[in-house]
Amino acid sequence: MWHTRLQIEVQYGAPIGSSRRALRVLPLEIGQTIASESWRASPQPTRFFEKRDRFGNRVLEVFNRKIERVWQFELTFQTLSFAPVSARENENLGAWKMPSRAVFFAPILRDLAADFRAMPSENRPNALCDFVFQNLEYTPQNSPAPARAEEIWARKRGSCADFAHLFLALCRLNGLPARYVAGYLMGEGQMHAWAQVFDAKNQIWRGFDPTHNRATDERYVAVGVGRDFYDVAPHEGTFRGNSGALLRLFCETKSQEIMTRAKK
């Protein structure tokens, strides 16, 4: 069993009103079972509700009439099991081969992808994952949104989202249905991003993490799938007021074994 705790804090320079935020931070039921889940916010929301977006992700909508200076959110949940993820009934797999906002098919990426087309299709995801890992240097994300895949390749460095976007571009240019995944990874203090590539032979989605150059396993907890980061941004919102906003996010995922050891 995996225990995850997420904390979000938003600081404002002055009191604000009419705050609306959409959070994509709740665990999905794909490939994992949710054993427990709870959250709290301060100040208490005026109202809230949960909905599903077009990709089936859980979206928590939270509204506050007024926030003085700080808004805080804490989520805790437990997940267990890890199973292959099958394609949904009548899922349009062709849509996952198309370019998107951050996964643009620039000429330089077409040239890179062409080098892998002679390879059997079942071998390409592993080879592309290794290629991205070997050619990019990891740097923490320091902007509200990641760059496009060709920009990432040009600078040869990026965040986990950037690694995922370059990997997605190369997969899609090789005719492989591939999607962006956001979630949590054991041992990291921030949210993580990886990708899933459809395995046509076994009719399942296989996870690949180009940031760490490995297949995903039970340490990965998914909260959203989409074409790229922009479909699964963890925090989006609007408010009324003459103030800037500073967001801080921290999360931790631990196994039952690690938590048991810590208590001894």
Side-chain angles (χ1 to χ4, degrees):
M1 182 176 293
W2 300 90
H3 301 253
T4 300
R5 179 171 64 97
L6 169 73
Q7 293 176 314
I8 297 176
E9 181 178 278
V10 184
Q11 296 182 352
Y12 300 95
I16 60 101
S18 301
S19 169
R20 170 207 164 270
R21 63 193 79 236
L23 302 175
R24 286 178 175 83
V25 295
L26 304 175
L28 293 179
E29 302 88 345
I30 59 170
Q32 58 207 13
T33 301
I34 303 170
S36 66
E37 177 185 289
S38 64
W39 63 268
R40 61 182 180 179
S42 177
Q44 286 278 12
T46 306
R47 63 187 179 95
F48 64 88
F49 63 87
E50 184 181 323
K51 66 178 184 180
R52 297 277 179 167
D53 65 16
R54 59 181 292 197
F55 302 103
N57 303 316
R58 302 170 65 195
V59 183
L60 181 62
E61 296 263 7
V62 182
F63 301 83
N64 286 87
R65 288 197 183 95
K66 184 178 180 180
I67 298 174
E68 289 295 333
R69 295 281 182 170
V70 179
W71 183 81
Q72 295 176 318
F73 175 86
E74 181 173 282
L75 166 72
T76 58
F77 63 85
Q78 296 178 330
T79 52
L80 64 158
S81 79
F82 181 80
V85 180
S86 301
R88 293 180 304 202
E89 187 176 356
N90 300 320
E91 183 169 8
N92 180 13
L93 293 172
W96 298 112
K97 297 180 183 180
M98 302 298 291
S100 58
R101 183 174 173 183
V103 186
F104 187 73
F105 292 174
I108 182 61
L109 300 183
R110 293 181 184 275
D111 293 340
L112 289 176
D115 294 337
F116 295 85
R117 289 186 189 138
M119 186 179 297
S121 59
E122 62 271 21
N123 296 340
R124 291 178 203 165
N126 280 315
L128 292 169
C129 186
D130 181 69
F131 177 81
V132 172
F133 175 79
Q134 297 296 339
N135 284 279
L136 293 189
E137 176 187 354
Y138 175 79
T139 56
Q141 185 167 326
N142 55 13
S143 62
R148 296 202 314 190
E150 71 274 18
E151 297 169 333
I152 298 161
W153 176 250
R155 69 191 187 200
K156 299 295 191 299
R157 66 180 186 276
S159 66
C160 58
D162 295 324
F163 274 68
H165 285 152
L166 180 58
F167 175 71
L168 288 172
L170 297 176
C171 284
R172 293 176 188 173
L173 283 165
N174 269 275
L176 302 171
R179 62 190 188 182
Y180 183 96
V181 187
Y184 309 100
L185 173 60
M186 177 181 163
E188 299 201 351
Q190 58 189 350
M191 294 189 72
H192 192 53
W194 59 97
Q196 290 177 343
V197 181
F198 191 70
D199 178 343
K201 179 180 179 180
N202 296 292
Q203 293 293 293
I204 60 173
W205 290 96
R206 295 192 182 278
F208 294 88
D209 181 358
T211 304
H212 295 99
N213 197 20
R214 65 192 181 200
T216 60
D217 53 29
E218 68 276 358
R219 292 171 293 180
Y220 293 76
V221 179
V223 302
V225 298
R227 296 164 299 179
D228 55 36
F229 168 87
Y230 295 99
D231 288 332
V232 291
H235 180 281
E236 296 176 311
T238 59
F239 63 88
R240 184 180 301 164
N242 297 317
S243 171
L246 175 64
L247 183 145
R248 292 190 175 92
L249 184 151
F250 171 79
C251 64
E252 61 179 352
T253 298
K254 296 181 179 180
S255 68
Q256 180 67 55
E257 180 181 4
I258 290 175
M259 294 189 70
T260 301
R261 288 176 182 170
K263 291 178 181 178
K264 291 182 179 179

